Amino acid sequence: MPRHFLEIGDLSRDELVGVLRCAHALRSERDRDERTQPLRRRTLAMLFEKPSLRTRVSFEQGMLELGGAAIVLGRDEVGLGKREAVADVGRVLGGMVHGIAARVFDHRHLVELAGSGGVPVINMLSDRHHPAQALADALTLMDAFSPGEPEGLAGRKVAFVGDGDNNVARSLAGVCAALGVAFACASPAGHRLEEGHGDRFEDPREAVAAADAVYADTFVSMGSEDEKADRLEAFGPYRLDEALLDAAAPGVIALHCLPAYRGVEVTNGVLDGPRSRVFEQAHNRLHAQKGLLAFLLGG
Ligand code: CP
Ligand code: NVA
């Protein structure tokens, strides 16, 4: 049976630690201009129902660096569940490529692909989860607080400010729980993190107290554009600015998955300031996903 990565919980804690260690090692090799190529003659099909910069480039570049190849299918090409049943897409691709990665509106479509393709399926973002982002987030936390050693993050604290009922927050909560990192989330009523995923707050200043990292994401995720006006009003007090960072632990870092709506959920002062690790975090998408691809497709 192939292994899939639809959410963080699809990896055991030990596997997650192994993927992060591998990511760190692959990045060090790359820095020395050395290449391990465990995915020679392996191909990943990448299906997109939504736009992407980081995810598309990092997965495609990652496959190339590991010796394989990627086939990118844009949103008007496949018609997942519209032109063709999702399970039929899975069965066809599974006979041709070694892995399927997909960015979808409906998480259930990923589950259907996983059940039909016979090859590993990777979530490149759904309405529910963004676990590939969370791997890069963990690698970025390691770089700041425990270089090369995922287990050294235990006891740290991450605070997420904004839409707790979103893909990025949910996957971040998952990776924090697996690594023993405390997770706090500040959101307005109606947009809160599910119970049991971390400590939930209404007041952002309470959530960020003693946090080693403060994380922001857009207030209007892809697919919720219809709610834009209401969301911008509800989330107004949840913008990450320098004063909010000042209320966290000394040595705090600022994270954001990008793309950022500058001045809306995060200020330029934070994004471009000395405490920002946002662009390192974006670059870590490549390295973290190479660790994942080597694990899932390399055998
Ligand atoms: N963070 C992220 O997933 O970016 P893209 O939407 O550009 O892939
Ligand atoms: N929560 C955002 C993340 C974008 C990378 C969205 O789903 O649009």
mmCIF file of all heavy atoms in Angstrom, residues 51-56 103 125 130 133 222 257-259 285, ligand 1:
data_model
loop_
_atom_site.group_PDB
_atom_site.id
_atom_site.type_symbol
_atom_site.label_atom_id
_atom_site.label_comp_id
_atom_site.label_asym_id
_atom_site.label_seq_id
_atom_site.Cartn_x
_atom_site.Cartn_y
_atom_site.Cartn_z
ATOM 1 N N PRO A 51 -4.396 28.861 -7.777
ATOM 2 C CA PRO A 51 -3.078 29.405 -8.117
ATOM 3 C C PRO A 51 -2.012 29.006 -7.103
ATOM 4 O O PRO A 51 -2.325 28.618 -5.971
ATOM 5 C CB PRO A 51 -3.276 30.927 -8.082
ATOM 6 C CG PRO A 51 -4.718 31.172 -7.856
ATOM 7 C CD PRO A 51 -5.374 29.904 -7.438
ATOM 8 N N SER A 52 -0.752 29.139 -7.491
ATOM 9 C CA SER A 52 0.372 28.842 -6.593
ATOM 10 C C SER A 52 1.659 29.423 -7.158
ATOM 11 O O SER A 52 1.878 29.394 -8.363
ATOM 12 C CB SER A 52 0.540 27.331 -6.446
ATOM 13 O OG SER A 52 1.726 27.032 -5.745
ATOM 14 N N LEU A 53 2.509 29.910 -6.289
ATOM 15 C CA LEU A 53 3.889 30.243 -6.650
ATOM 16 C C LEU A 53 4.837 29.277 -5.933
ATOM 17 O O LEU A 53 5.503 28.453 -6.548
ATOM 18 C CB LEU A 53 4.230 31.684 -6.255
ATOM 19 C CG LEU A 53 5.713 32.049 -6.387
ATOM 20 C CD1 LEU A 53 6.168 32.061 -7.837
ATOM 21 C CD2 LEU A 53 5.994 33.414 -5.745
ATOM 22 N N ARG A 54 4.875 29.384 -4.609
ATOM 23 C CA ARG A 54 5.823 28.622 -3.804
ATOM 24 C C ARG A 54 5.652 27.109 -3.957
ATOM 25 O O ARG A 54 6.627 26.376 -4.132
ATOM 26 C CB ARG A 54 5.662 28.972 -2.306
ATOM 27 C CG ARG A 54 6.310 30.263 -1.889
ATOM 28 C CD ARG A 54 5.495 30.950 -0.819
ATOM 29 N NE ARG A 54 4.276 31.431 -1.417
ATOM 30 C CZ ARG A 54 4.156 32.631 -1.999
ATOM 31 N NH1 ARG A 54 5.146 33.472 -1.978
ATOM 32 N NH2 ARG A 54 3.021 33.006 -2.585
ATOM 33 N N THR A 55 4.415 26.651 -3.859
ATOM 34 C CA THR A 55 4.181 25.210 -3.846
ATOM 35 C C THR A 55 4.561 24.597 -5.185
ATOM 36 O O THR A 55 5.231 23.560 -5.257
ATOM 37 C CB THR A 55 2.701 24.940 -3.518
ATOM 38 O OG1 THR A 55 2.403 25.607 -2.284
ATOM 39 C CG2 THR A 55 2.423 23.460 -3.382
ATOM 40 N N ARG A 56 4.143 25.254 -6.252
ATOM 41 C CA ARG A 56 4.434 24.733 -7.586
ATOM 42 C C ARG A 56 5.949 24.685 -7.830
ATOM 43 O O ARG A 56 6.497 23.665 -8.237
ATOM 44 C CB ARG A 56 3.744 25.607 -8.634
ATOM 45 C CG ARG A 56 3.850 25.004 -10.030
ATOM 46 C CD ARG A 56 4.602 25.918 -10.966
ATOM 47 N NE ARG A 56 5.222 25.175 -12.044
ATOM 48 C CZ ARG A 56 4.829 25.219 -13.306
ATOM 49 N NH1 ARG A 56 3.810 25.936 -13.655
ATOM 50 N NH2 ARG A 56 5.490 24.541 -14.210
ATOM 51 N N ARG A 103 -3.520 20.286 -5.431
ATOM 52 C CA ARG A 103 -4.052 21.440 -4.687
ATOM 53 C C ARG A 103 -5.517 21.565 -5.067
ATOM 54 O O ARG A 103 -5.834 21.814 -6.230
ATOM 55 C CB ARG A 103 -3.272 22.708 -5.045
ATOM 56 C CG ARG A 103 -3.916 23.978 -4.538
ATOM 57 C CD ARG A 103 -3.004 25.179 -4.629
ATOM 58 N NE ARG A 103 -2.007 25.135 -3.582
ATOM 59 C CZ ARG A 103 -1.296 26.197 -3.157
ATOM 60 N NH1 ARG A 103 -1.459 27.372 -3.720
ATOM 61 N NH2 ARG A 103 -0.422 26.063 -2.186
ATOM 62 N N LEU A 125 -2.245 21.609 -0.592
ATOM 63 C CA LEU A 125 -3.208 22.557 -0.009
ATOM 64 C C LEU A 125 -4.617 22.152 -0.392
ATOM 65 O O LEU A 125 -4.923 21.940 -1.562
ATOM 66 C CB LEU A 125 -2.960 24.016 -0.457
ATOM 67 C CG LEU A 125 -3.889 25.116 0.113
ATOM 68 C CD1 LEU A 125 -3.159 26.445 0.252
ATOM 69 C CD2 LEU A 125 -5.135 25.302 -0.737
ATOM 70 N N HIS A 130 -2.790 22.135 5.009
ATOM 71 C CA HIS A 130 -1.647 22.524 4.162
ATOM 72 C C HIS A 130 -0.378 21.936 4.805
ATOM 73 O O HIS A 130 0.485 22.665 5.286
ATOM 74 C CB HIS A 130 -1.577 24.046 4.049
ATOM 75 C CG HIS A 130 -0.731 24.541 2.914
ATOM 76 N ND1 HIS A 130 -0.100 23.703 2.013
ATOM 77 C CD2 HIS A 130 -0.403 25.814 2.531
ATOM 78 C CE1 HIS A 130 0.575 24.436 1.135
ATOM 79 N NE2 HIS A 130 0.403 25.711 1.423
ATOM 80 N N GLN A 133 3.281 22.953 3.828
ATOM 81 C CA GLN A 133 3.659 24.240 4.430
ATOM 82 C C GLN A 133 4.145 24.022 5.861
ATOM 83 O O GLN A 133 5.166 24.593 6.274
ATOM 84 C CB GLN A 133 2.445 25.177 4.417
ATOM 85 C CG GLN A 133 2.684 26.509 5.092
ATOM 86 C CD GLN A 133 3.657 27.376 4.315
ATOM 87 O OE1 GLN A 133 3.485 27.611 3.134
ATOM 88 N NE2 GLN A 133 4.699 27.850 4.979
ATOM 89 N N MET A 222 -8.125 31.289 -0.316
ATOM 90 C CA MET A 222 -8.639 30.978 -1.649
ATOM 91 C C MET A 222 -9.907 30.142 -1.502
ATOM 92 O O MET A 222 -9.915 29.131 -0.801
ATOM 93 C CB MET A 222 -7.587 30.198 -2.446
ATOM 94 C CG MET A 222 -6.339 31.019 -2.744
ATOM 95 S SD MET A 222 -5.099 30.104 -3.681
ATOM 96 C CE MET A 222 -4.252 29.194 -2.385
ATOM 97 N N CYS A 257 3.001 32.259 5.797
ATOM 98 C CA CYS A 257 3.166 31.281 4.719
ATOM 99 C C CYS A 257 3.306 31.939 3.353
ATOM 100 O O CYS A 257 3.813 31.308 2.416
ATOM 101 C CB CYS A 257 1.988 30.309 4.710
ATOM 102 S SG CYS A 257 0.391 31.143 4.559
ATOM 103 N N LEU A 258 2.862 33.179 3.224
ATOM 104 C CA LEU A 258 2.825 33.907 1.945
ATOM 105 C C LEU A 258 1.864 33.203 0.961
ATOM 106 O O LEU A 258 1.743 32.001 1.024
ATOM 107 C CB LEU A 258 4.221 34.051 1.333
ATOM 108 C CG LEU A 258 5.259 34.825 2.167
ATOM 109 C CD1 LEU A 258 6.610 34.829 1.437
ATOM 110 C CD2 LEU A 258 4.797 36.243 2.470
ATOM 111 N N PRO A 259 1.175 33.889 0.055
ATOM 112 C CA PRO A 259 1.337 35.326 -0.200
ATOM 113 C C PRO A 259 0.735 36.175 0.922
ATOM 114 O O PRO A 259 -0.287 35.816 1.497
ATOM 115 C CB PRO A 259 0.555 35.525 -1.512
ATOM 116 C CG PRO A 259 -0.467 34.436 -1.535
ATOM 117 C CD PRO A 259 0.181 33.265 -0.853
ATOM 118 N N ARG A 285 10.390 25.683 1.898
ATOM 119 C CA ARG A 285 9.437 24.796 1.223
ATOM 120 C C ARG A 285 10.186 23.784 0.360
ATOM 121 O O ARG A 285 9.877 22.600 0.336
ATOM 122 C CB ARG A 285 8.456 25.605 0.354
ATOM 123 C CG ARG A 285 7.506 26.534 1.117
ATOM 124 C CD ARG A 285 6.505 25.759 1.938
ATOM 125 N NE ARG A 285 5.718 24.858 1.117
ATOM 126 C CZ ARG A 285 4.629 25.195 0.416
ATOM 127 N NH1 ARG A 285 4.163 26.423 0.483
ATOM 128 N NH2 ARG A 285 3.969 24.300 -0.294
HETATM 129 N N1 CP B 1 2.448 29.265 0.860
HETATM 130 C C1 CP B 1 1.978 28.759 -0.298
HETATM 131 O O1 CP B 1 1.445 27.644 -0.373
HETATM 132 O O2 CP B 1 2.182 29.561 -1.390
HETATM 133 P P1 CP B 1 1.578 29.331 -2.849
HETATM 134 O O3 CP B 1 0.085 29.481 -2.727
HETATM 135 O O4 CP B 1 2.180 30.412 -3.707
HETATM 136 O O5 CP B 1 1.941 27.970 -3.315
#
